[in-house]
Amino acid sequence: MPQSVPVRTEEAAPTAAELLDFVRHTAADTELIASLPLDPEGRTWVRLTGPGGSEAWLIAWPPGTGTGWHDHAESVGAFATASGELKENSLAVRLPASGWRTLELAEDVDRERRLGPGQGRAFGRHHVHEVLNESPAEHAISVHAYYPPLPLIRRFSRTGAVLRLEQVERPEDWQ
């Protein structure tokens, strides 16, 4: 008697690589990018429909703006620059998920990437970074995607080798 094979009816969770494909493809949509309103004072954003139930955003970065140090908790993610250039500073270390307020970082954990139009990167859970538009005159625009949708963002301050947890934000704080 043949055995039945269960049929999956729900979509599989997207991987970081699939999120990267999505953000790169979306960043190449010139009509979508041109539709984002630009504000000279602060970031603007539009929520997008991401693949497989992921959370996605189109974000405009005025000159000289950035995120500050943060992570995306248990979410994997990706982002790609559509126009302008973004700089990502990140830490090549996995931080504890909880139970700490201050950590002293080892030497050689700092990484820097510059991402121009069409360039992107994917990252895993608890990836600590800051994203900056260092241009003195030009907006940058990027596309970001996270799965699962962001349960929280932890915000950090950094003084030299000391990383300090400053705030935990939940979705209701930024939506």
Side-chain angles (χ1 to χ4, degrees), residues 22-80:
F22 168 79
V23 297
R24 283 184 173 152
H25 177 77
T26 304
D29 183 341
T30 55
E31 189 175 317
L32 175 66
I33 301 311
S35 73
L36 183 62
L38 303 181
D39 181 336
E41 301 294 319
R43 288 187 295 162
T44 53
W45 56 87
V46 173
R47 188 155 187 175
L48 304 172
T49 302
S54 64
E55 179 174 347
W57 299 89
L58 176 63
I59 301 174
W61 306 76
T65 59
T67 60
W69 288 96
H70 67 282
D71 76 0
H72 305 100
E74 294 293 326
S75 297
V76 297
F79 71 96

Side-chain angles (χ1 to χ4, degrees), residues 20-147:
L20 181 59
D21 287 343
F22 168 79
V23 297
R24 283 184 173 152
H25 177 77
T26 304
D29 183 341
T30 55
E31 189 175 317
L32 175 66
I33 301 311
S35 73
L36 183 62
L38 303 181
D39 181 336
E41 301 294 319
R43 288 187 295 162
T44 53
W45 56 87
V46 173
R47 188 155 187 175
L48 304 172
T49 302
S54 64
E55 179 174 347
W57 299 89
L58 176 63
I59 301 174
W61 306 76
T65 59
T67 60
W69 288 96
H70 67 282
D71 76 0
H72 305 100
E74 294 293 326
S75 297
V76 297
F79 71 96
T81 303
S83 67
E85 180 182 81
L86 292 173
K87 176 183 172 186
E88 179 197 37
N89 294 318
S90 63
L91 300 177
V93 62
R94 183 176 169 103
L95 299 180
S98 62
W100 65 277
R101 298 282 305 171
T102 303
L103 289 176
E104 186 167 346
L105 301 170
E107 290 184 29
D108 300 325
V109 297
D110 289 293
R111 300 294 180 267
E112 177 184 308
R113 288 181 177 83
R114 293 193 177 272
L115 302 164
Q119 295 179 311
R121 61 126 44 255
F123 51 86
R125 291 172 171 80
H126 303 289
H127 174 70
V128 177
H129 68 166
E130 65 175 348
V131 180
L132 309 160
N133 176 8
E134 294 185 322
S135 170
E138 184 182 351
H139 267 78
I141 298 177
S142 57
V143 179
H144 302 247
Y146 311 99
Y147 189 86

